Amino acid sequence: WTDDGINWNFDEARNITNNIPPDPRQEGAASYSDTLRAYTTHDIIFDAEDNIHVVFDARLLRVQAIPAGNPPIDGLSLDYSYLFHWSEASEEITAVADGWYTQAIEDENREVIARPAPGAWRSNVCNPSLSYADNGDLYCVYNIYPIEDYSIRGRCNGDLAVTVSEDNGATWYYPTMITETFSG
C-alpha cells in the first residue's frame, strides 16, 4: 500500500495466501500441494483502525509437479470455488462463501452429459465487494451461481448474495439472497 498513491514500496509486499508449490518428490495427489488458489476477483478495504481486509475468490487448481506442457496445468475447475477473507489484524484466512459444488449434469450412470459453466473468468461464488459499517460490521456482496440453474445455452444463471461478519471477518453469516431468479 501507499500513503500518497504515487510512491509504492514493493520491497515490503505481503503474501497473504502463502500457497505451497507442487512437489515432484511426492506421489499422486500429494504432489499437487495447495490446490485452492486465488483466482481473478478480489476487493480490499481499510476498517476504522486502518487494518486491511481482503476478500478473494479461489478455485480448485491442480498444477503438475513435473511440467508436461506449457503452461503446466493439469486441471482448473470450471466451478468449484470459495470466497475467502483475510484480515491484517488477525492475519488469518476465513471462508466467506461456499461454492464447492459442480454444475455438471450427469445421466443415470453418473456420466457427465453437460457441463454448464458460470462463464469466462467466473466461478460458483465470485466478484466480491466489501464494505465496513460504522458499528464495525463487515459486509460482503458477491455473485453466486446456484446449482442446477442454467440456460438452454449451457450458461449458469447468476444471482447476488450478501453476508455479514460481526467479528471483524472471523466468521460470516449464512448469506441472504438479494436476487432469487431461479429459472428451473
Side-chain angles (χ1 to χ4, degrees), residues 52-100:
I52 298 173
H53 293 268
V54 179
V55 65
F56 60 95
D57 69 328
R59 269 183 158 181
L60 174 64
L61 173 68
R62 293 189 179 107
V63 179
Q64 297 170 5
I66 301 171
N70 189 16
I73 297 175
D74 189 38
L76 175 62
S77 163
L78 296 177
D79 40 22
Y80 289 100
S81 62
Y82 267 96
L83 285 183
F84 288 114
H85 166 266
W86 176 84
S87 166
E88 179 183 26
S90 67
E91 294 196 15
E92 292 182 358
I93 294 176
T94 57
V96 176
D98 182 356
W100 201 255

Side-chain angles (χ1 to χ4, degrees), residues 96 137-140 162-167 171-176:
V96 176
D137 292 349
L138 281 170
Y139 289 87
C140 183
V162 63
T163 184
V164 62
S165 173
E166 296 177 322
D167 55 11
T171 59
W172 294 83
Y173 279 94
Y174 189 80
T176 299

Side-chain angles (χ1 to χ4, degrees), residues 46 53 86 94 104 116 123 132 145 157:
F46 287 86
H53 293 268
W86 176 84
T94 57
S123 49
Y132 193 77
Y145 294 88
N157 296 319

